[in-house]
Amino acid sequence: MKLGRRNFLKLAGATAAGAAVSACSAAPPGQAPSSAPGTSLPPSTAVTPPSGPPDWAALRNKVSLLLPGDSGYDSAKRVFNPAFDELKPAAIAKCAKPEDVQAAVEAAARRVPIAARSGGHSYAGYSVPDGGLMIDLGGMSSVDVQGEQVVIGAGAKLKNVYATLGGAGRCLPAGSCPSVGIAGLTLGGGIGVLARKYGLTCDHLVSAQVVTADGKLRTASADSEPELFWALRGGGGGNFGVVTSFTFRTDPAPSAVSVFSLRFPAGSANDVLAEWQHWLPEAPPELWANVVLSGGSPVSARISGCYVGDSASLARVLDKLTGKIGGTRTVKQLDYLGAMKYFSGSENRQSFVASSRILDEPADPAKLTSILDGRRGMDLLVDGLGGAVADIAPDATAFWHRKAIGSVQIYSQADTRNRSAATDSVAEVVTGLGLGGGYVNYIDPALPDWMTAYYGGNATRLKRVAKSYDPDKVFGFAQAVTPD
């Protein structure tokens, strides 16, 4: 799902020991898929809702099913954020093959809410349908490298994806948190530390196997179900169907990836942010960097990132920044797999509240830092975009924010004692930033006009795809893409 906010908080505040979610598509960069908007869509056929609850006993004869009170149910429903432990699905279908997903969808469709769980990192807990059916894809986690392509089960975690690809000498740009699932990350776009060089995760998608609301298993690609394929590349997890596997094009793994962390003295946050906003867009695409602003008195700033190349080449790029604002640096040259492990951070569950905005153009540093004054435990993580991300047109895939400088994640620690206060504080910061847009992999139930924020000018086309593939809102949830 997401570029790990926890990981960069650890990385940027630490040393080279290690630290929010999503490149070639089947269509050439800058071009839309072969079908025009509104073409090659199956007919929309609304169905009268059935009466009565699902027949769980019958489904249990087809799929491994857990019901409340069953051994293993409580652990199976847990997701990354403990804040959602109180949610209780009516049933959990532990799927090991596409046919299991089909049986689960057919049994529950239009009877109870349905949600798929890959890594369980939904910021709003949407992968735990309270009173509904959770489709647990953890049993579909294979990573099969086939020459220049890799076929990945929807339940695979990034740590396993990277280990297999690294061992085969191949590379796929993706997120950093090791327990994030490949499905949620890809479907929301896939921002990661190699994005400026190789693009988003979804830009490498060649095809996907998808169970749609009618229970059919479809292949979505540039030549088959092209509108669905377009929507799956950035249209958000949980929409349009349940993906069971992805086929990606990979690149040769770089032999050297140099990682770095820059620290700056207290009181320099404004200067750091100001220079970062102009330095990164002018840097070569081999460089990726973020800037982290941490609330307090004063607000602090640090920069971290990586460079696809050797440490000597990285040093020349960093000199252009530190020559203006100073700071101390830590640099380490690693191979591809080593760099991915460096950014991976902890897999321990964490309670937090978060939201996002998009940095479309340089912002007033004083405005961004002033709103964090005194807010200890809150951070703004500005993750760089540009490079290969911007080489593709905003409407060529469903990921809209192609021309942005970066995504801005507002992240606050929270637990049962202060969650309400943290939620209010994050909302205040989101409003006070004065920025638009948002990244769907940092989904926020309270984000104003979220459909436009996440999908921009692609929203209308996404609604059209939803009307065709899920007119009855079988996969509907609070922030689902729906026909209306």
Side-chain angles (χ1 to χ4, degrees):
M1 176 178 78
K2 298 97 184 154
L3 186 63
R5 68 269 162 202
R6 308 164 297 280
N7 310 331
F8 283 112
L9 293 177
K10 177 180 177 182
L11 166 68
T15 66
V21 232
S22 265
C24 290
S25 64
Q31 297 182 17
S34 57
S35 65
T39 64
S40 303
L41 287 169
S44 174
T45 54
V47 178
T48 302
S51 59
D55 187 341
W56 299 128
L59 181 58
R60 204 167 213 167
N61 290 328
K62 301 177 182 179
V63 179
S64 176
L65 197 71
L66 293 175
L67 302 176
D70 287 348
S71 176
Y73 170 87
D74 288 337
S75 60
K77 75 181 182 68
R78 287 197 193 109
V79 289
F80 187 80
N81 194 334
F84 306 116
D85 284 353
E86 62 186 24
L87 300 179
K88 289 189 175 182
I92 302 171
K94 298 181 72 65
C95 298
K97 55 186 183 298
E99 292 79 7
D100 293 345
V101 177
Q102 289 179 279
V105 170
E106 289 169 352
R110 295 175 298 279
R111 294 179 183 274
V112 295
I114 301 174
R117 168 193 166 152
S118 176
H121 281 251
S122 169
Y123 279 22
Y126 289 144
S127 54
V128 191
D130 203 24
L133 174 65
M134 174 193 283
I135 297 180
D136 185 346
L137 302 170
M140 307 171 70
S141 58
S142 61
V143 182
D144 183 15
V145 179
Q146 301 176 358
E148 295 185 353
Q149 294 188 345
V150 60
V151 180
I152 305 178
K157 307 299 190 293
L158 292 187
K159 63 177 180 180
N160 298 322
V161 172
Y162 287 138
T164 302
L165 285 173
R170 306 302 297 180
C171 164
L172 177 69
S176 56
C177 186
S179 59
V180 160
I182 189 67
L185 176 83
T186 302
L187 298 174
I191 295 173
V193 301
L194 299 180
R196 284 174 48 82
K197 173 63 175 176
Y198 297 107
L200 304 175
T201 310
C202 73
D203 297 338
H204 277 245
L205 188 63
V206 173
S207 65
Q209 296 289 304
V210 192
V211 175
T212 47
D214 54 10
K216 293 182 179 179
L217 180 65
R218 304 173 187 265
T219 298
S221 69
D223 300 318
S224 174
E225 315 284 356
E227 284 296 286
L228 179 59
F229 180 60
W230 174 86
L232 294 177
R233 291 176 292 159
N239 297 310
F240 316 115
V242 179
V243 177
T244 60
S245 70
F246 302 84
T247 298
F248 296 98
R249 190 185 73 81
T250 64
D251 289 294
S255 58
V257 179
S258 300
V259 299
F260 65 91
S261 176
L262 306 178
R263 300 298 302 272
F264 304 93
S268 60
N270 285 356
D271 291 338
V272 172
L273 179 57
E275 292 299 332
W276 181 92
Q277 292 182 100
H278 295 286
W279 167 73
L280 184 67
E282 296 175 357
E286 287 77 13
L287 179 89
W288 178 89
N290 76 346
V291 58
V292 179
L293 305 177
S294 293
S297 300
V299 174
S300 65
R302 61 262 197 204
I303 292 174
S304 61
C306 64
Y307 182 87
V308 181
D310 58 51
S311 56
S313 299
L314 169 60
R316 290 191 289 272
V317 179
L318 294 181
D319 287 344
K320 294 181 179 180
L321 176 69
T322 58
K324 295 181 178 180
I325 55 176
T328 59
R329 71 177 71 170
T330 301
V331 175
K332 188 174 184 179
Q333 183 173 313
L334 304 167
D335 60 12
Y336 165 69
L337 183 56
M340 297 305 99
K341 289 180 178 179
Y342 172 83
F343 285 112
S344 65
S346 172
E347 296 182 57
N348 295 333
R349 302 173 77 212
Q350 296 179 27
S351 184
F352 63 92
V353 176
S355 188
S356 69
R357 282 305 200 195
I358 298 295
L359 188 66
D360 285 314
E361 57 187 21
D364 178 3
K367 186 172 185 178
L368 271 61
T369 58
S370 64
I371 199 167
L372 289 177
D373 187 39
R375 296 180 188 264
R376 295 191 179 279
M378 180 174 288
D379 298 88
L380 294 187
L381 295 88
V382 189
D383 296 322
L385 295 175
V389 177
D391 289 342
I392 297 176
D395 60 354
T397 70
F399 184 87
W400 178 252
H401 304 293
R402 294 283 178 178
K403 306 306 179 182
I405 296 174
S407 69
V408 182
Q409 181 171 190
I410 304 94
Y411 173 82
S412 179
Q413 300 170 5
D415 56 32
T416 54
R417 295 167 297 175
N418 71 345
R419 185 169 183 82
S420 178
T423 300
D424 291 343
S425 186
V426 166
E428 290 174 4
V429 171
V430 170
T431 301
L433 289 175
L435 303 175
Y439 180 34
V440 68
N441 278 352
Y442 303 148
I443 200 163
D444 174 8
L447 188 66
D449 193 16
W450 56 267
M451 188 75 187
T452 300
Y454 296 139
Y455 306 118
N458 288 331
T460 298
R461 186 174 173 185
L462 284 167
K463 287 177 176 289
R464 188 159 57 241
V465 176
K467 182 177 182 180
S468 178
Y469 286 94
D470 190 11
D472 299 309
K473 305 178 185 178
V474 168
F475 301 110
F477 58 96
Q479 289 178 289
V481 175
T482 58
D484 300 311

